[in-house]
Amino acid sequence: MTKNLITINQFIQKSLGEWKSLRSTHSLAFQEVENSTSKIVIKELEIKNKNVVELLEKYNLSSQPSVIAITISWQALSDWDKDQKIEADKTILLFLQKDKNRGIVLRNKGYTESQISSSEYFIDDNENLNIKTVYSSTISEERICFLSTHIRSRYSVTRNQENNSVIQTSHTSEIRNISIVKD
């Protein structure tokens, strides 16, 4: 008997909302640790959204019904910043499915290198979302899993593309803001 894995659409639907993030990043090259807290908001976008259409055009693709579009925005406070100023940004992710459990993610801004990027994703047997991105000089691998309905965990590793050495690792715990969850 085969297990019915969660689909990417179901995973994204579970991820929508506002999250408080606690992140620890280990820079192995500099032997430094950064801790940060963030507010993250994940929203679904319509395929006809101007930003979605523009991103599809950058990849020479037309709008497709199998595309799932989301925007992720965040406000972060890091212990590396002596000024204690809040950094904010957002990105758009387009999930193009090859099948119900794997496909490609197109981004207007990368996770490791701030450039337009595409990644491969798959959902493993434990229903974790795995994303691998090859940039110009690094490779980023990320795994996102639900520990419960309102708690997610993210793990990432960044490697040097030339010699495969580990540059950075991070672990993030994300807790959903349930005070704004609609029934």
Side-chain angles (χ1 to χ4, degrees), residues 48-92:
K48 294 179 182 176
N49 177 288
K50 175 183 83 141
N51 296 319
V52 172
V53 171
E54 287 174 4
L55 187 54
L56 284 167
E57 287 173 355
K58 285 182 182 177
Y59 284 98
N60 296 319
L61 298 170
S62 61
S63 180
Q64 303 171 17
S66 62
V67 173
I68 302 166
I70 63 171
T71 182
I72 302 175
S73 59
W74 62 92
Q75 296 175 332
L77 182 62
S78 169
D79 66 0
W80 271 9
D81 295 331
K82 301 209 187 295
D83 300 342
Q84 291 294 303
K85 70 177 185 179
I86 294 175
E87 299 287 332
D89 207 347
K90 67 179 177 177
T91 188
I92 295 171

Side-chain angles (χ1 to χ4, degrees), residues 110-169:
Y111 171 73
T112 303
E113 297 179 27
S114 189
Q115 63 189 32
I116 190 169
S117 65
S118 74
S119 310
E120 292 185 2
Y121 77 83
F122 72 94
I123 297 175
D124 64 27
D125 290 341
N126 294 317
E127 299 187 343
N128 301 316
L129 175 60
N130 296 271
I131 301 172
K132 181 177 181 178
T133 311
V134 178
Y135 295 99
S136 58
S137 61
T138 60
I139 298 170
S140 171
E141 295 174 291
E142 185 174 16
R143 184 176 74 232
I144 306 167
C145 59
F146 280 89
L147 303 176
S148 72
T149 303
H150 302 296
I151 301 174
R152 291 183 356 151
S153 187
R154 289 190 296 132
Y155 305 92
S156 69
V157 175
T158 304
R159 297 177 186 275
N160 178 307
Q161 196 176 116
E162 188 176 315
N163 61 16
N164 205 33
S165 63
V166 176
I167 300 168
Q168 179 177 292
T169 64

